[in-house]
Amino acid sequence: MKKALLLTLTAALILFSCNSEEHEDYFTEARIELLMPDNVTPVQIQGTLTLQNLNTMSSVSIAEMEGNCFQLNLLRGAYKADVEGMIKYTDENGNTLIRHFRAHADYMALAELPVSKTELPIILLQE
């Protein structure tokens, strides 16, 4: 009888502990939009974003873009961001040009739930 009662109590504790687990959202959907200079109208843009988590020092890279925006799921936290790429654009005179660009941020908070949005201005490089 004692063994049956002990077994029943043990099973009840296991079931209770499994059903009462806390749920934490450790990940967020990050959306990083590249901001263009005033005189630039993008025609086509491609680039690679590298994010380095400032706490864990782990890095993640993505090259898939939708328009001028990167979108990925990652661990919530503080990041350093680097972007390199090429852009085909028209200037204020209507000329179509192709140039390399870069973007950088030493600190970017990506911790909001369910989506963290931020903007990153690009710098056109001289060819």
Side-chain angles (χ1 to χ4, degrees), residues 48-92:
T48 301
L49 166 69
T50 302
L51 294 171
Q52 182 180 30
N53 187 302
L54 296 176
N55 293 317
T56 66
M57 301 310 278
S58 64
S59 294
V60 62
S61 294
I62 183 171
E64 298 171 22
M65 296 179 74
E66 187 174 313
N68 61 333
C69 186
F70 292 99
Q71 186 171 324
L72 68 157
N73 288 317
L74 51 83
L75 186 66
R76 293 170 53 206
Y79 287 85
K80 179 175 93 169
D82 287 295
V83 181
E84 291 187 5
M86 292 187 74
I87 182 170
K88 180 179 183 180
Y89 67 96
T90 55
D91 63 11
E92 66 272 359

Side-chain angles (χ1 to χ4, degrees), residues 5-116:
L5 182 59
L6 184 60
L7 186 58
T8 304
L9 288 174
T10 304
L13 283 173
I14 290 171
L15 288 175
F16 178 75
S17 65
C18 290
N19 289 334
S20 66
E21 75 180 52
E22 290 185 28
H23 181 69
E24 290 285 334
D25 289 325
Y26 296 109
F27 291 86
T28 186
E29 181 181 323
R31 292 185 189 162
I32 296 124
E33 180 182 355
L34 298 179
L35 295 179
M36 303 298 134
D38 291 337
N39 60 345
V40 170
T41 304
V43 174
Q44 185 178 6
I45 187 169
Q46 65 183 44
T48 301
L49 166 69
T50 302
L51 294 171
Q52 182 180 30
N53 187 302
L54 296 176
N55 293 317
T56 66
M57 301 310 278
S58 64
S59 294
V60 62
S61 294
I62 183 171
E64 298 171 22
M65 296 179 74
E66 187 174 313
N68 61 333
C69 186
F70 292 99
Q71 186 171 324
L72 68 157
N73 288 317
L74 51 83
L75 186 66
R76 293 170 53 206
Y79 287 85
K80 179 175 93 169
D82 287 295
V83 181
E84 291 187 5
M86 292 187 74
I87 182 170
K88 180 179 183 180
Y89 67 96
T90 55
D91 63 11
E92 66 272 359
N93 299 325
N95 299 321
T96 301
L97 304 164
I98 298 174
R99 293 188 46 195
H100 286 89
F101 72 89
R102 286 193 179 148
H104 174 79
D106 283 328
Y107 176 83
M108 183 180 290
L110 298 171
E112 297 295 319
L113 288 174
V115 177
S116 291

